[in-house]
Amino acid sequence: MASLKRLETEFPILDRDFQSFCALRGIFTDGLHRPWSNGVELMEDAQKNKHVLSTGCEGMDFLLRGGLHKGQVTELAGPSSSGKTQFCLLTASTVAYKHMGGVIYLDTGNSFSAKRIAQFLNQISRPAFDEMQPIVLQKVMNSILCQSVFDIFSMFDVLHCLESKLKSQMCRGDNDEILIIIDSISSLITPILGSSGSQGRALMVSAMSLLKKLAHEYNLAVLVTNHTVGGDGGIPKPALGESWKTLTHVRLLLSRDCGSDTYHVSLLKHPSAASGKAAKFIINN
C-alpha cells in the first residue's frame, strides 16, 4: 500500500484530516515491506498452514475444492433473502465444531442468531448424539465471537484490535482464531462509495488489503457477503463495482428458489478452479 506522503502527491483530494485518520488506524503504512518469498517457501507455507475448512455444505465444498481456504478471502454475493446469512451461520457452526477453531463474526445488520447457531450445531453433531450435550454446546458457542459493526471505520477498529490479539497469540504459539466472517461487507462499503469518491475507493481497497494481510499472515480463512445489483439484461451481478471484483480470491453467486429450501450457487472466480461451475444444496430449517 502506498505511503501517506505518496498518496498526498498523487491524490490531492486526500486531505490532511483524512490522512491523519487513516494513519491513526494503520490503514496506510510507511513501514518496511515484508521480504520476498520464493516458490518453495510459499509451497511449504501452503502445505503446512493453508488448510481447508469445510462449510458444512457438500455442494458448496465441492465448488470450493474442499471448503474455505486459509489465506484467502471468499466473497458470497446474492440478492436479499437468498440465504447468505444462513450460509454464514452454518459455516461458523461447522468450523467451530468440526475444526475446533475460533470464529470472528462481524454482523452489520443485526442478523446474527445464536439460536440458529445452536440449531445447526445440533444438526451437525447427529447421528452421534440425539442432541449436543450442554457442556459441549457451550464450549463450541463460546468459540464464536460476534461483534456488531455499522460503518467501515468501526470495522477497521475491530480488525486492528484483532490483529494485535493475533500478534500476541502468535508470540505465545497459540493462535485460536481460524475464520473471519463479515455479513455483509457491502453494507459498510456502499455508503462511502456513493459520497466520498476517491476517498471511498481508497478505504475499500484498504479494507480488503487488511483482510488479505490477516488471512495470509495468521492463516485465517475470510468469508464476506455482498449484495447484488442488476447487470446486463437484468441478470444480477455482485455489487461494489469493477475495482472490487479484482480484490477477492474467490467469488460465488448465490440464489434461492422462491418459497423453497433449495439454493443455487455458481463459481465466478477461483485461483485454482475454472469459473462457471454450479451446484445446488439445501439448508435445513
Side-chain angles (χ1 to χ4, degrees), residues 163-175 218:
E163 183 177 17
S164 297
K165 177 184 177 182
L166 292 171
K167 284 181 180 178
S168 298
Q169 290 179 342
M170 181 170 285
C171 291
R172 300 194 306 266
D174 180 26
N175 187 5
Y218 301 103

Side-chain angles (χ1 to χ4, degrees), residues 4 15 61 75-77 100 161 199 207 241-242 255 267 272 282:
L4 290 173
D15 58 26
D61 286 350
E75 172 194 1
L76 179 64
M100 300 304 293
C161 288
Q199 294 183 6
E242 293 297 309
S255 62
L267 187 64
S272 57
I282 295 175

Side-chain angles (χ1 to χ4, degrees), residues 263-277:
Y263 299 82
H264 301 268
V265 60
S266 56
L267 187 64
L268 303 182
K269 176 184 176 183
H270 196 288
S272 57
S275 61
K277 292 184 178 180

Side-chain angles (χ1 to χ4, degrees), residues 29-207:
T29 175
D30 292 304
L32 297 175
H33 294 288
R34 291 175 58 82
W36 289 87
S37 298
N38 60 41
V40 173
E41 292 170 336
L42 292 172
M43 179 63 75
E44 290 177 347
D45 178 59
Q47 293 175 341
K48 181 180 179 181
N49 300 311
K50 301 302 188 286
H51 301 151
V52 181
L53 307 177
S54 172
T55 65
C57 174
E58 291 185 3
M60 191 71 80
D61 286 350
F62 170 76
L63 282 185
L64 295 174
R65 300 177 71 89
L68 301 176
H69 289 247
K70 289 186 177 182
Q72 294 183 357
V73 179
T74 298
E75 172 194 1
L76 179 64
S80 177
S81 301
S82 60
K84 300 186 297 295
T85 295
Q86 292 302 305
F87 178 75
C88 288
L89 295 173
L90 172 61
T91 301
S93 306
T94 303
V95 169
Y97 178 65
K98 291 190 174 181
H99 299 281
M100 300 304 293
V103 177
I104 306 297
Y105 198 114
L106 302 190
D107 179 17
T108 71
N110 285 328
S111 57
F112 181 86
S113 171
K115 181 178 180 180
R116 188 67 168 133
I117 290 284
Q119 290 175 344
F120 280 133
L121 288 173
N122 281 320
Q123 291 173 10
I124 294 168
S125 66
R126 295 173 184 170
F129 305 99
D130 289 336
E131 187 169 323
M132 183 175 288
Q133 299 298 314
I135 189 171
V136 178
L137 178 63
Q138 181 178 2
K139 180 179 179 180
V140 175
M141 293 195 71
N142 280 339
S143 66
I144 302 174
L145 303 179
C146 180
Q147 176 71 52
S148 295
V149 291
F150 301 113
D151 60 68
I152 195 168
F153 306 114
S154 299
M155 184 191 74
F156 275 120
D157 288 340
V158 171
L159 292 179
H160 283 301
C161 288
L162 174 61
E163 183 177 17
S164 297
K165 177 184 177 182
L166 292 171
K167 284 181 180 178
S168 298
Q169 290 179 342
M170 181 170 285
C171 291
R172 300 194 306 266
D174 180 26
N175 187 5
D176 296 328
E177 280 72 27
I178 59 176
L179 174 64
I180 298 174
I181 296 175
I182 304 178
D183 183 30
S184 75
I185 199 167
S186 55
S187 298
L188 307 179
I189 294 177
T190 299
I192 62 170
L193 290 180
S195 59
S196 304
S198 297
Q199 294 183 6
R201 287 191 293 274
L203 284 170
M204 177 181 73
V205 174
S206 296

